[in-house]
Amino acid sequence: MDKQLLLSSTRNVLIRLEETIIFGLIERAQFALNKVIYEKGAFGSELSGESLVGYLLHETEKIHARMRRYTSPDEHPFFADLPVPLLPALVFSESPLQPNAVNINAEIRAVYEQQIVPLICAPGDDGQYGSSSVSDVMLLQAISKRVHYGKFVAESKYRDREAVLKPLMKNMDREDLARTITDEAVEAQVLERVRLKAQTYGQQLGGGQTDFRVTPDIVQRIYADWIIPLNKKVQVEYLLQRNP
Amino acid sequence: MDKQLLLSSTRNVLIRLEETIIFGLIERAQFALNKVIYEKGAFGSELSGESLVGYLLHETEKIHARMRRYTSPDEHPFFADLPVPLLPALVFSESPLQPNAVNINAEIRAVYEQQIVPLICAPGDDGQYGSSSVSDVMLLQAISKRVHYGKFVAESKYRDREAVLKPLMKNMDREDLARTITDEAVEAQVLERVRLKAQTYGQQLGGGQTDFRVTPDIVQRIYADWIIPLNKKVQVEYLLQRNP
């Protein structure tokens, strides 16, 4: 894949995922916090010690693994013990990425459950455990994909600025690397765009009784405080594992 | 549950599901038709003779059944052979419905796969089988919930107009019943509202390369041609099974 193609296809995926994430946040915010669904063991020993959300996420990943989801270079599982694919391997167009083992889903899950959900959901418990968990799994998967797309972003930056990045990679200097790959103009653009999308999609049309929590401010904050920094972390880790 | 409460809670759920369905249509339309995912046996014998979408739907229902999804009066599975819940039964607030066995998911699945998907997706095959199937399962579940909510609508109408409906129910006259429960003003309102929502949510913000198929016209047509008529069918069948 050539440099321009990599850049434009990466950009398209990132923009498309903004809709998925904002729609997902709006879906989840229809239900209360329901914190019991994040507590390990809260539903007894039947869920192998996991929380309800963890159990659903694990079971969902088992099915998706059988459908070979995690053979794709842009998919990263939250669990390690997954079954082998039932389907014959897809022939992916050759991945532009170098082999790497970067996966920060544990951190993504912690941020999501401890920071993002309490921000968008009304406090309390409405008993909608199933619907809330289904929505959580969908959002965790979308956010994971968005964050790990940092690998494609980093690869694209590497090809563009190899001479600048190589010495930083050799020095293993995370802070220096993070500073160098930061493009403040692009970040400002992303934040502006997600604010506009949240404004548009978050309109309450034709009634409905919820007090609405997925405001443009909140969506912008979720991107500024977590999605963009975690994406940057993936970029740095990918570059550190990349063969220069 | 009293008559007014039933009516307003039913109305709120139906309005909320409009967002879920429209967001789902937009998600699915990001991928091509990929008709091979609807063909039974297309992926070999590993999927117990099901199509890829059918396999994912079945496996998803097995997990959700273990999480007791189908013990709720507003949830209807597509498959009959599901495991028993792992979780202790939830105490649902008493269902306002009379016992009944109405489930038209087979028809919903056929309409969805044969009519709706070809309408919203670009023709052809983009290889995104996993993402397309995940999106299909989510939409099938949302449309099924919307359509089967006809039971609550019908119960509410019965309580309101018992004297008028009882004789029609005794005569088992489907056409007469359908005519009598039709409220054209409400239907026009729904169609107008989903058109407005599709217009708002369907805006392409900040670029992206798709040719956009989930237009206000298409969403309105999906409601007018399939969702509303199927919902009405559920209302009629529910009344025919209801103990007058």
Side-chain angles (χ1 to χ4, degrees), chain B residues 100-119:
Chain B
N100 69 88
V102 178
N103 181 332
I104 64 165
N105 274 336
E107 189 172 351
I108 291 171
R109 188 172 163 197
V111 162
Y112 176 77
E113 296 186 358
Q114 291 158 31
Q115 315 282 339
I116 297 179
V117 176
L119 203 60

Side-chain angles (χ1 to χ4, degrees), chain B:
Chain B
M1 192 183 280
D2 88 347
K3 214 170 70 179
Q4 269 327 99
L5 190 62
L6 175 59
L7 194 66
S8 76
S9 84
T10 300
R11 192 183 122 90
N12 274 330
V13 174
L14 294 184
I15 290 177
R16 189 164 68 58
L17 281 169
E18 289 166 3
E19 264 76 13
T20 308
I21 290 170
I22 295 170
F23 291 167
L25 292 169
I26 294 172
E27 284 281 320
R28 179 59 183 90
Q30 293 173 346
F31 311 109
L33 177 60
N34 295 324
K35 79 176 164 46
V36 70
I37 66 177
Y38 306 105
E39 290 167 3
K40 292 195 176 182
F43 289 88
S45 56
E46 291 88 348
L47 307 183
S48 1
E50 256 296 349
S51 67
L52 191 63
V53 169
Y55 173 77
L56 181 62
L57 183 61
H58 196 178
E59 295 301 310
T60 303
E61 289 202 333
K62 287 181 194 167
I63 303 174
H64 291 182
R66 274 185 234 118
M67 290 172 67
R68 71 184 166 204
R69 178 176 188 146
Y70 304 106
T71 59
S72 170
D74 60 352
E75 295 286 355
H76 299 77
F78 285 79
F79 290 87
D81 56 335
L82 297 175
V84 294
L86 275 178
L87 302 180
L90 248 191
V91 182
F92 283 103
S93 48
E94 210 180 318
S95 172
L97 302 183
Q98 292 231 343
N100 69 88
V102 178
N103 181 332
I104 64 165
N105 274 336
E107 189 172 351
I108 291 171
R109 188 172 163 197
V111 162
Y112 176 77
E113 296 186 358
Q114 291 158 31
Q115 315 282 339
I116 297 179
V117 176
L119 203 60
I120 60 170
C121 293
D125 190 306
D126 59 12
Q128 298 286 329
Y129 303 151
S131 303
S132 304
S133 307
V134 168
S135 191
D136 284 333
V137 168
M138 178 273 189
L139 260 174
L140 281 165
Q141 292 181 322
I143 293 172
S144 169
K145 188 161 181 170
R146 171 64 174 79
V147 166
H148 286 99
Y149 241 82
K151 296 183 183 183
F152 293 85
V153 176
E155 179 63 28
S156 160
K157 286 177 181 167
Y158 177 84
R159 294 189 193 180
D160 209 34
R161 304 171 63 197
E162 195 176 327
V164 179
L165 292 173
K166 254 186 180 168
L168 306 180
M169 288 156 65
K170 271 196 184 129
N171 286 345
M172 305 283 283
D173 187 335
R174 287 182 162 79
E175 275 181 45
D176 217 5
L177 262 177
R179 206 165 28 244
T180 309
I181 58 169
T182 296
D183 185 335
E184 283 176 9
V186 168
E187 284 182 16
Q189 221 174 42
V190 170
L191 291 176
E192 195 42 44
R193 198 173 52 228
V194 296
R195 161 177 287 276
L196 176 65
K197 287 183 181 178
Q199 205 159 20
T200 306
Y201 303 137
Q203 289 175 60
Q204 283 284 288
L205 302 170
Q209 84 290 41
T210 39
D211 71 316
F212 194 69
R213 288 162 179 277
V214 186
T215 62
D217 276 350
I218 293 282
V219 172
Q220 198 170 46
R221 181 165 159 211
I222 290 170
Y223 265 77
D225 288 2
W226 298 300
I227 294 182
I228 290 177
L230 288 170
N231 178 278
K232 210 178 292 183
K233 183 172 184 171
V234 166
Q235 293 184 46
V236 170
E237 296 305 317
Y238 174 78
L239 289 174
L240 290 177
Q241 289 188 19
R242 195 189 190 287
N243 213 344

Side-chain angles (χ1 to χ4, degrees), chain A residues 72-137:
Chain A
S72 170
D74 60 351
E75 295 285 354
H76 299 76
F78 286 79
F79 291 86
D81 56 337
L82 297 176
V84 294
L86 275 179
L87 301 181
L90 248 190
V91 182
F92 284 102
S93 48
E94 211 180 317
S95 173
L97 302 182
Q98 293 234 344
N100 70 88
V102 178
N103 180 332
I104 64 166
N105 274 337
E107 190 173 350
I108 291 171
R109 186 172 163 196
V111 161
Y112 176 77
E113 295 186 357
Q114 291 158 29
Q115 315 281 340
I116 297 179
V117 176
L119 203 58
I120 61 170
C121 293
D125 190 307
D126 59 13
Q128 299 286 330
Y129 302 151
S131 303
S132 304
S133 307
V134 168
S135 190
D136 284 333
V137 167

